[in-house]
Amino acid sequence: MARRKGDPKPQPKERSAHLPTRDDVIAFIRENPDRSTKRDVAKAFNLKGEDRVALKHLFKELEEEGIFQRRGKRLVAAGALPPVMVLTVTGRDRDGALLARPLEWDDAEQGEPPLISIRMPRNAKQRPAAAGVGDRVLARISPPREDGEPHLARVIKKLEKRRAAILGVIRHTDDGGYRLEPVERKQSELIIEKDQLGDASVGDLVEAEVTRAGRYGLQRAAVTQRIGSFASEKAVSMIAIHANDIPHVFPDAAMEEAKAAKPVAQGGKREDWRNLPLVTIDPPDAKDHDDAVHAEPDLDVGNPGGHILTVAIADVAYYVRPGSALDREALKRGNSVYFPDRVVPMLPERISNDLCSLREGEDRPALAVRMIFGADGRKRSHTFHRVTMRSAAKLSYQQAQAAIDGAPDDQTGPLLEPILKPLWEAYRCLHKGRMARAPLELDLPERKIVLNAEGMVDRVIVPSRLDAHKLIEECMIQANVAAAETLEGKQQMLVYRVHDSPSLAKEEALRDFLKTLDISLARGAQLRPSAFNVILEAVKETDHAALVNEVILRSQAQAEYTPGNYGHFGLNLLRYAHFTSPIRRYADLIVHRALIRALDLGDGTDGLPDVSEDQLSEIASQISAAERRAVGAERDTVDRLIALYLTDNIGEVFDGRVAGISSAGLFVSLPAYGADGFVPASTLGDEYYHHDEAQHAMVGENSGQGYRLGDPVTIKIVEVLPLAGSMRFEMISEPRKLGTSAKSFHKARKGARIAARGKRGGPGKGRPPRGAQKSGRRR
């Protein structure tokens, strides 16, 4: 009932005797980081009914105030580290205890790394292999007990030691000697004596170790391994393989297991699906085929307009048993790594390209899911089966699309009516469900490098995004969802593929940026991908489209693997697991084993063995790190190939786009090549330039003009370092007038800087100190 004028004001509801204080909840979460969900806290304080509602509001307040941040369903201290991560041991403190830092840490983006102290168990039997400075370890992290104290890390296991080798190319000097030009730009050249070359010669990519280091002059080194000629077609990817310690040679034990593997015989719990005309649709140069699809109308009168979709996935779990040499090596690699000139596979070719590849017309083992969709595109039911299948055809995306578009060839002509058209009808149905789900729809075209016969860059293309690509993508997404739902329903542990929503800090930064474009982003704890899609659609075909797509991408969290589920924000799915690529991803192999165990589809030796959640967390952390390692190696290889390709173009002018901004300068991408170069801030002009993080801009202190993320610009190449994969550019385009917000922001900050200098007696009556205009960096 509404309160009438003159009625006494309602008194606040008396606080429940059971409800803990705000400080009690904060203390509990900090002391129990692994028990920090609302359910955990409610259980700890015995909260029920309305008290749980009050606790929900308190959680929201703590998150909005920045005291904690949400990680899945848990609250963790702002800036908290994940519970399990890979560390690099960097040194010792005064008491001799080991100090470490996260292996995957970007100082420029994340700031100073946290202080981490490694704690060793007192019981010698419980200690892993002794770790030392320079080692990498998988460790469990505990938060600091008090402010200013280090995080404590307990070593779970010591990882394979990174070789203390320097990677570089042998060069001749003018005096007839030899030098090693390192791949890493920060490393200095080394002297190589002729008798220390081994079997290497000028132009060879080698690994070397320092033999003598004096206080003055260049260090001396000896070649320990010749990798190959830098002029060879695979030298550039070999740099990335060695520089990132990517395992690329299979041990003898794994090769012997692969060699001894035999084709699967039909029978037992394996169903015979060889008469179902499943087809593979892949890139034209694909060598392994791990997924096949089939669709047909659902004839059930209770599901008018519905479709039956079948997705069959290579049964890798049959060949790669838990604890085997193949399994150990697959976990070590984590995933296949794809370079423009080669693939470093997770499994030997005998497994990946032969026994498990779903080849046309050949019997192959598979794990299949049969899904029924309604006319609205929503999945009604699904079942999993372990089968023997026989692919009816191996098609490329372009080939299948051409057939649908009215240009079938000799192979696709007979398949058009019975196979391809039902697939496209099912896809149109699934697309309705996707539109209703509204996943994040970023428009970021991917570029592909095409190499010539010598293994060098011939051209860079942007492959067309066909309906055939979208069809397979949506089929795989639905199969992945079905796998996660089945395992969750069976209460079977698994590794989820998760993607958190943007942090409050990134969300607020994005909101401030969009204001400068007169675009608003709704507030609320339940921000969904559809809110971003509205913005992306509004800027489509405008000058801001590339910029907004890029900034929204940067606001997103990083996807990872974990046994704890907190959903997939980008796909807008409550539960999601990788199931469809076990040939090239270890996470998918775990999910296959979990399904075999949960559904009793195996013989007891090929399902997921008994593992604790902690063990699964360790595996998830390891394969997440391997994924990031692969992405970095692939990106580095592209950068080196493009730099090598543009070596002869120094002094030439190109069109580019501002792809990144730091206090030191601008990163400019060349859209025609898909690679970046750097423009130092000191070369931008006569005035002092500031990096305005909120506006994603580099702005002149006096003029208020500058360059913004996504701006089209013209640059000149002034330096190319192919080994390092880096290029330095000179800006040709003049700075442009930025928005009012950016200009007023910098005017205010300039006044604050002048006032601050005046108070402390700074040089030059408010002018930047000598050298500031040259450096372009903040002091």
Side-chain angles (χ1 to χ4, degrees), residues 393-714:
K394 180 188 79 169
L395 306 176
S396 69
Y397 290 115
Q398 295 76 10
Q399 194 179 13
Q401 187 68 56
I404 288 295
D405 292 342
D409 58 23
D410 291 343
Q411 183 183 20
T412 55
L415 305 175
L416 186 58
E417 293 296 332
I419 296 177
L420 294 180
K421 284 189 176 181
L423 267 174
W424 254 257
E425 288 298 324
Y427 166 62
R428 293 186 186 97
C429 174
L430 265 60
H431 185 66
K432 295 179 185 177
R434 180 185 177 92
M435 294 298 289
R437 193 176 80 240
L440 184 60
E441 301 283 7
L442 289 169
D443 182 16
L444 296 166
E446 295 186 9
R447 286 168 176 79
K448 180 179 180 180
I449 291 180
V450 179
L451 303 181
N452 57 26
E454 289 73 39
M456 295 296 107
V457 177
D458 179 53
R459 63 190 187 279
V460 180
I461 62 173
V462 178
S464 299
R465 177 78 168 153
L466 306 174
D467 281 346
H469 292 102
K470 299 174 185 177
L471 181 153
I472 295 300
E473 178 185 284
E474 195 60 31
C475 289
M476 298 305 113
I477 288 173
Q478 294 298 336
N480 289 335
V481 171
E485 289 176 347
T486 293
L487 293 172
E488 210 171 79
K490 293 290 185 178
Q491 298 184 333
Q492 169 64 55
M493 282 196 301
L494 71 148
V495 170
Y496 290 92
R497 179 64 169 182
V498 294
H499 178 223
D500 209 350
S501 58
S503 66
L504 285 177
K506 287 188 175 182
E507 184 182 314
E508 196 60 35
L510 175 62
R511 188 173 287 111
D512 290 342
F513 162 72
L514 291 172
K515 282 180 183 177
T516 68
L517 301 177
D518 295 325
I519 299 173
S520 61
L521 176 64
R523 293 182 180 274
Q526 298 300 318
L527 186 67
R528 305 311 308 163
S530 56
F532 294 121
N533 290 341
V534 170
I535 294 170
L536 293 170
E537 185 62 30
V539 300
K540 197 172 182 179
E541 306 297 335
T542 71
D543 294 340
H544 300 307
L547 169 62
V548 174
N549 272 270
E550 184 66 32
V551 175
I552 288 180
L553 173 66
R554 294 180 185 217
S555 72
Q556 303 302 305
Q558 188 174 46
E560 62 178 347
Y561 295 107
T562 172
N565 181 35
Y566 53 85
H568 198 294
F569 177 82
L571 293 174
N572 201 12
L573 293 168
L574 294 176
R575 52 194 62 83
Y576 191 67
H578 273 168
F579 158 75
T580 55
S581 295
I583 287 177
R584 60 185 180 91
R585 292 189 305 226
Y586 194 82
D588 303 57
L589 180 55
I590 293 175
V591 171
H592 275 235
R593 289 171 176 168
L595 287 166
I596 290 169
R597 174 172 178 159
L599 302 176
D600 191 25
L601 297 175
D603 58 11
T605 65
D606 51 358
L608 188 68
D610 292 330
V611 291
S612 66
E613 186 170 347
D614 285 348
Q615 289 173 309
L616 215 52
S617 292
E618 294 166 16
I619 293 172
S621 296
Q622 192 170 338
I623 58 180
S624 293
E627 179 185 41
R628 292 190 292 271
R629 176 184 67 187
V631 170
E634 292 165 4
R635 183 178 59 244
D636 290 347
T637 299
V638 169
D639 288 344
R640 289 190 176 99
L641 280 169
I642 297 299
L644 190 62
Y645 179 65
L646 295 175
T647 302
D648 296 331
N649 295 86
I650 292 176
E652 294 187 17
V653 174
F654 292 86
D655 291 329
R657 187 175 292 277
V658 178
I661 302 175
S662 73
S663 58
L666 304 172
F667 294 91
V668 176
S669 68
L670 304 181
Y673 301 100
D676 294 345
F678 187 64
V679 180
S682 58
T683 67
L684 287 176
D686 296 332
E687 62 181 323
Y688 187 87
Y689 276 83
H690 293 285
H691 174 207
D692 181 354
E693 297 181 18
Q695 310 296 330
H696 295 274
M698 183 71 81
V699 187
E701 185 173 60
N702 297 318
S703 67
Q705 295 183 332
Y707 305 90
R708 200 177 209 174
L709 186 70
D711 278 354
V713 293
T714 303

Side-chain angles (χ1 to χ4, degrees), residues 78-381:
L81 300 177
V84 177
M85 65 188 314
V86 178
L87 307 176
T88 299
V89 182
T90 57
R92 295 181 182 272
D93 62 16
R94 293 180 179 179
D95 300 323
L98 291 172
L99 299 175
R101 64 171 282 159
L103 177 66
E104 300 287 339
W105 190 270
D106 188 334
D107 291 8
E109 182 175 328
Q110 298 172 270
E112 288 292 322
L115 185 62
I116 302 175
S117 178
I118 293 181
R119 178 178 57 189
M120 301 299 289
R122 294 182 179 180
N123 186 343
K125 292 182 179 180
Q126 296 178 351
R127 295 178 187 172
V133 176
D135 286 339
R136 289 186 295 170
V137 297
L138 187 67
R140 186 170 298 283
I141 312 296
S142 299
R145 295 178 181 175
E146 296 181 9
D147 292 339
E149 290 191 355
H151 293 260
L152 295 179
R154 179 175 61 82
V155 177
I156 297 169
K157 70 176 178 179
K158 178 181 171 183
L159 303 178
E160 184 178 349
K161 187 175 179 65
R162 185 185 178 96
R163 298 180 299 277
I166 299 172
L167 194 66
V169 173
I170 302 293
R171 301 294 191 202
H172 244 318
T173 59
D174 293 338
D175 59 3
Y178 298 92
R179 296 279 178 87
L180 180 73
E181 181 184 346
V183 168
E184 293 294 331
R185 187 174 184 178
K186 295 180 180 179
Q187 291 178 334
S188 300
E189 287 190 344
L190 295 94
I191 297 173
I192 307 281
E193 300 291 354
K194 187 174 182 179
D195 60 353
Q196 298 294 326
L197 285 173
D199 60 349
S201 56
V202 174
D204 280 351
L205 180 67
V206 301
E207 283 187 347
E209 290 182 350
V210 175
T211 57
R212 189 165 76 246
R215 294 181 62 186
Y216 306 102
L218 298 178
Q219 297 178 330
R220 297 178 182 272
V223 173
T224 57
Q225 181 186 0
R226 177 185 180 273
I227 298 171
S229 171
F230 185 62
S232 69
E233 63 180 49
K234 295 189 176 182
V236 176
S237 57
M238 283 303 298
I239 292 176
I241 289 169
H242 283 257
N244 291 278
D245 266 356
I246 295 175
H248 65 288
V249 177
F250 286 100
D252 291 342
M255 293 301 290
E256 287 299 321
E257 284 186 2
K259 185 178 179 180
K262 303 295 183 186
V264 178
Q266 173 59 34
K269 298 177 180 179
R270 192 174 297 278
E271 301 173 39
D272 189 349
W273 281 22
R274 286 175 289 186
N275 290 328
L276 185 69
L278 291 148
V279 296
T280 62
I281 305 178
D282 291 296
D285 55 353
K287 294 181 179 179
D288 56 71
H289 309 276
D290 50 11
D291 58 81
V293 293
H294 176 268
E296 60 186 333
D298 187 4
L299 302 181
D300 185 349
V301 294
N303 186 28
H307 296 265
I308 301 174
L309 174 66
T310 300
V311 176
I313 306 298
D315 190 357
V316 177
Y318 177 84
Y319 292 103
V320 183
R321 303 291 171 119
S324 65
L326 280 171
D327 181 48
R328 292 193 300 270
E329 185 65 15
L331 175 57
K332 180 180 175 182
R333 296 180 178 223
N335 46 249
S336 298
V337 187
Y338 294 84
F339 298 107
D341 60 354
R342 71 165 76 195
V343 176
V344 179
M346 186 180 78
L347 297 168
E349 288 190 5
R350 167 68 174 158
I351 302 295
S352 61
N353 293 359
D354 184 5
L355 294 175
C356 285
S357 185
L358 306 181
R359 293 180 173 180
E360 179 179 345
E362 298 185 22
D363 292 355
R364 287 291 183 267
L367 199 59
V369 56
R370 184 176 182 269
M371 298 171 282
I372 299 177
F373 292 87
D376 58 358
R378 299 182 185 275
K379 180 164 61 65
R380 294 190 166 196
S381 63

